[in-house]
């Protein structure tokens, strides 16, 4: 007698990609967007692609550059008591893998020096100074033309950081009489973007209620969803005072709160 039963289909297992073989989306997307941004910068185009980035803002000598260096884990920015950041520095951090023997290799590359690798971070600092002077002069002038630097290291995350000139009120050297308005306009062009996280830097020995960083961050991010307060120079507060109320948000509350930083010395 013939078997009239209907065969039951056997489910075929579908291979599921292993999580160990799947890289986060950012590892593939961020390098492409960074490359497009570099092309736009070279062409002088106003077109931009909004990629999440972190902008460090604050008054002159508030410790902005030290905060950025702490995020990178290396000292490589110009230092001194005068205005140091005189052009926006767009810093693209790119995470690399350690060598098979476990050793690390870190280097930097500038957009204006394609193909040249800087393994000495002191040389990176000197090149930032030299490139700043080529565009902004040697007498404290300020320019909105970017310096674009990539740092390759196994100790960083794939992220874009922006170091912006500090807010200043009195023009010095070759600075125009409206230097404060120009710098504020420059800063706003970065931090007004919804994709930009703002690190508002204020020194601990200053009045938080008069913080230029918090004021301009409040203009760009009135709801406070993108602003993190950074209190620097905790080690030079007056004897008998502390930053407890600042850091706990009891003076000026922020949704994302505050972090404290002890800055590195200005001494070379």
């Amino acid at each position: 007698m013939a078997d009239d039963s209907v065969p039951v289909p056997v489910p075929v297992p579908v291979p599921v990609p292993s999580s160990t073989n799947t890289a986060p989306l950012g590892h593939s997307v961020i390098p492409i967007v960074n490359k497009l941004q570099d092309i736009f910068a070279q062409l002088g185009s106003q077109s931009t692609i909004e990629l999440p980035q972190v902008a460090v803002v604050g008054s002159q000598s508030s410790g902005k550059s030290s905060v950025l260096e702490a995020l990178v884990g290396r000292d490589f920015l110009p230092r001194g008591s005068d205005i140091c950041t005189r052009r926006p520095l767009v810093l693209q951090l790119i995470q690399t893998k350690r060598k098979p023997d476990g050793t690390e290799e870190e280097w930097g590359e500038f957009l204006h020096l394609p193909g040249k690798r800087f393994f000495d971070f002191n040389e990176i600092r000197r090149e930032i100074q030299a490139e700043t002077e080529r565009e902004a002069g040697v007498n404290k002038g300020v320019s909105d033309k970017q310096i674009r630097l990539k740092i390759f290291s196994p100790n960083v995350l794939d992220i874009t950081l922006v170091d912006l000139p500090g807010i200043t009120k009195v023009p010095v050297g070759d600075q125009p009489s409206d230097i404060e308005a120009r710098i504020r306009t420059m800063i706003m062009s970065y931090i007004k973007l919804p994709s930009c996280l703002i690190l508002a830097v204020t020194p601990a020995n200053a009045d938080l209620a008069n913080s230029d960083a918090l004021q301009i961050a409040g203009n760009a991010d009135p709801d406070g969803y993108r602003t993190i307060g950074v209190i620097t120079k905790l080690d030079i507060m007056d004897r008998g005072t502390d930053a407890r109320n600042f850091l706990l948000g009891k003076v000026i509350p922020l949704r994302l709160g505050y972090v404290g930083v002890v800055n590195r010395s200005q001494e070379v």
Side-chain angles (χ1 to χ4, degrees), residues 200 202-204 208 214 228-235 237 241-262:
T202 305
L208 200 63
L214 291 177
I228 298 175
V230 182
I231 307 299
T232 59
K233 305 185 180 183
L234 293 173
D235 54 322
M237 295 187 71
T241 64
D242 63 60
R244 183 187 302 271
N245 289 337
F246 291 169
L247 296 173
L248 293 177
K250 293 183 178 180
V251 180
I252 299 180
L254 287 178
R255 290 178 182 268
L256 301 182
Y258 293 82
V259 294
V261 176
V262 174

Side-chain angles (χ1 to χ4, degrees), residues 17-89:
S18 170
S19 59
T20 57
N21 297 326
T22 304
L25 180 62
H27 281 286
S28 58
V29 174
I30 291 178
I32 296 174
V33 178
N34 284 345
K35 182 63 176 177
L36 291 173
Q37 288 180 328
D38 288 346
I39 293 173
F40 288 143
Q42 288 176 311
L43 296 176
S45 172
Q46 296 300 315
S47 300
T48 59
I49 297 176
E50 291 188 18
L51 180 71
Q53 60 185 18
V54 179
V56 187
V57 303
S59 299
Q60 180 179 314
S61 299
S62 61
K64 299 182 296 77
S65 296
S66 293
V67 171
L68 193 147
E69 286 183 330
L71 294 174
V72 177
R74 297 293 297 262
D75 290 350
F76 63 97
L77 295 171
R79 63 187 67 185
S81 56
D82 295 326
I83 182 170
C84 298
T85 305
R86 299 193 284 128
R87 293 176 58 182
L89 174 66

Side-chain angles (χ1 to χ4, degrees), residues 34-265:
N34 284 345
K35 182 63 176 177
L36 291 173
Q37 288 180 328
D38 288 346
I39 293 173
F40 288 143
Q42 288 176 311
L43 296 176
S45 172
Q46 296 300 315
S47 300
T48 59
I49 297 176
E50 291 188 18
L51 180 71
Q53 60 185 18
V54 179
V56 187
V57 303
S59 299
Q60 180 179 314
S61 299
S62 61
K64 299 182 296 77
S65 296
S66 293
V67 171
L68 193 147
E69 286 183 330
L71 294 174
V72 177
R74 297 293 297 262
D75 290 350
F76 63 97
L77 295 171
R79 63 187 67 185
S81 56
D82 295 326
I83 182 170
C84 298
T85 305
R86 299 193 284 128
R87 293 176 58 182
L89 174 66
V90 178
L91 180 62
Q92 298 171 352
L93 303 184
I94 301 172
Q95 188 182 64
T96 59
K97 294 182 179 180
R98 289 178 172 82
K99 294 181 178 181
D101 60 1
T103 59
E104 301 176 355
E105 188 174 47
E106 297 177 303
W107 73 92
E109 295 180 7
F110 288 93
L111 181 63
H112 63 272
L113 294 173
K116 182 175 182 180
R117 292 187 175 187
F118 291 78
F119 293 94
D120 185 342
F121 280 74
N122 289 321
E123 289 187 12
I124 291 179
R125 177 186 295 115
R126 288 191 286 269
E127 181 57 32
I128 292 173
Q129 292 174 322
E131 180 63 15
T132 295
E133 292 177 357
R134 279 192 284 269
E135 180 66 28
V138 297
N139 196 20
K140 300 180 177 58
V142 175
S143 170
D144 60 0
K145 187 174 181 180
Q146 298 176 347
I147 297 176
R148 301 185 71 88
L149 169 64
K150 294 179 181 176
I151 289 184
F152 299 79
S153 169
N155 302 313
V156 301
L157 299 175
D158 290 315
I159 195 171
T160 300
L161 305 172
V162 184
D163 189 20
L164 294 163
I167 301 170
T168 184
K169 300 183 183 300
V170 180
V172 295
D174 292 332
Q175 296 174 356
S177 59
D178 61 344
I179 184 63
E180 180 181 6
R182 292 193 183 193
I183 291 179
R184 286 181 176 272
T185 299
M186 185 193 310
I187 293 173
M188 282 296 293
S189 69
Y190 288 86
I191 67 174
K192 70 181 181 182
L193 301 175
S195 58
C196 181
L197 180 67
I198 306 168
L199 296 187
V201 179
T202 305
N205 59 350
D207 185 356
L208 200 63
N210 294 324
S211 169
D212 288 322
L214 291 177
Q215 186 267 333
I216 196 169
N219 290 340
D221 176 35
D223 295 325
Y225 290 112
R226 301 184 287 113
T227 302
I228 298 175
V230 182
I231 307 299
T232 59
K233 305 185 180 183
L234 293 173
D235 54 322
I236 63 171
M237 295 187 71
D238 293 336
R239 184 180 297 274
T241 64
D242 63 60
R244 183 187 302 271
N245 289 337
F246 291 169
L247 296 173
L248 293 177
K250 293 183 178 180
V251 180
I252 299 180
L254 287 178
R255 290 178 182 268
L256 301 182
Y258 293 82
V259 294
V261 176
V262 174
N263 295 57
R264 54 102 167 102
S265 173

